[in-house]
Amino acid sequence: QITLKESGPTLVKPTQTLTLTCTFSGFSLSTSGVGVGWIRQPPGKALEWLALIYWNDDKRYSPSLKSRLTITKDTSKNQVVLTMTNMDPVDTATYYCAHRPTTYSSNYFDYWGQGTLVTVSS
Amino acid sequence: SYVLTQPPSVSVAPGKTARITCGGNNIGSKSVHWYQQKPGQAPVLVIYYDSDRPSGIPERFSGSNSGNTATLTISRVEAGDEADYYCQVWDSSSDLWVFGGGTKLTVL
């Protein structure tokens, strides 16, 4: 059974750096093809894909946020970490991590964490 | 970058058929995936690879994709189907994931 759970601060100040951790179970990020992605959703708005890391440490970022994002993995701890620099109130959102299946062409997310709401305010 | 366009809202009476569209340039050449999101909950995958259903998703949910439009069809709509629905593709040219703007399905 695959589960994911996001953790991190619920409140950050403008200009600060946000660090979110996705802790997962039921799969290994060393398995060929597997990926873990981050998606966010501002209150009342649409989903926005942020980043994804593959089993082989290959990484992809949303072009609009690439300069502010870093995604890393710790395979031994079953964790993926997302950092976002220079936070702004418009970054207030629920942040989700999600599992990408192992099949080469499986570019969707079949399991999602519950999400964590991050508010950016002074 | 690749853009997916969804109608903001769709309304349907119980027992009828709801069709939610997702438009994109030559989207028929891509694989489209659909997610259902109920208030306060995480998204749930309901259709992948245009028309495949994950285990546990009712057969009432189906999908199609051709030309510039992909469609999620929900037959015999129930009150419990009321939710936001998002389409998603992987843009191979940029190796990036793209979500549509979402459609709120209201069951009258």
Side-chain angles (χ1 to χ4, degrees):
Chain A
Q1 179 190 3
I2 291 175
T3 64
L4 306 98
K5 187 172 184 178
E6 307 85 354
S7 59
T10 57
L11 178 67
V12 297
K13 290 179 168 43
T15 75
Q16 286 187 335
T17 294
L18 171 68
T19 299
L20 294 173
T21 300
C22 176
T23 303
F24 56 84
S25 63
F27 68 95
S28 171
L29 204 38
S30 61
T31 299
S32 179
V34 170
V36 172
W38 284 94
I39 302 98
R40 73 177 179 179
Q41 184 174 40
K45 296 190 177 182
L47 300 171
E48 178 185 18
W49 173 74
L50 300 177
L52 184 134
I53 189 164
Y54 288 100
W55 82 103
N56 60 359
D57 209 38
D58 202 4
K59 302 164 187 177
R60 296 292 181 269
Y61 296 101
S62 168
S64 61
L65 293 166
K66 184 174 183 178
S67 64
R68 299 173 53 205
L69 294 174
T70 302
I71 189 170
T72 60
K73 64 181 176 69
D74 186 329
T75 304
S76 64
K77 292 183 178 179
N78 281 353
Q79 291 182 333
V80 171
V81 175
L82 181 75
T83 60
M84 180 180 293
T85 61
N86 194 24
M87 293 293 285
D88 183 272
V90 300
D91 297 313
T92 294
T94 296
Y95 288 76
Y96 297 97
C97 62
H99 170 266
R100 175 202 183 273
T102 58
T103 310
Y104 172 76
S105 60
S106 296
N107 291 306
Y108 55 87
F109 300 108
D110 57 352
Y111 293 92
W112 293 62
Q114 64 190 25
T116 185
L117 175 61
V118 178
T119 301
V120 184
S121 175
S122 54
Chain B
S1 61
Y2 195 77
V3 176
L4 295 174
T5 302
Q6 297 183 238
S9 63
V10 168
S11 299
V12 63
K16 299 299 185 182
T17 297
R19 294 180 179 84
I20 299 172
T21 59
C22 176
N25 184 34
N26 197 26
I27 196 173
S29 66
K30 303 180 183 299
S31 291
V32 180
H33 318 293
W34 291 90
Y35 303 86
Q36 175 193 68
Q37 186 181 34
K38 296 182 179 179
Q41 298 183 19
V44 172
L45 181 70
V46 293
I47 291 289
Y48 62 104
Y49 290 148
D50 297 339
S51 59
D52 289 346
R53 278 187 316 277
S55 60
I57 300 302
E59 292 183 6
R60 301 184 298 104
F61 288 80
S62 62
S64 62
N65 184 18
S66 178
N68 293 317
T69 304
T71 304
L72 172 69
T73 300
I74 309 172
S75 304
R76 302 180 300 281
V77 167
E78 303 173 356
D81 298 331
E82 191 163 277
D84 294 326
Y85 291 84
Y86 294 90
C87 57
Q88 177 251 312
V89 301
W90 175 68
D91 182 19
S92 58
S93 63
S94 57
D95 196 3
L96 301 174
W97 279 253
V98 181
F99 286 94
T103 298
K104 179 176 180 57
L105 176 67
T106 299
V107 181
L108 301 171

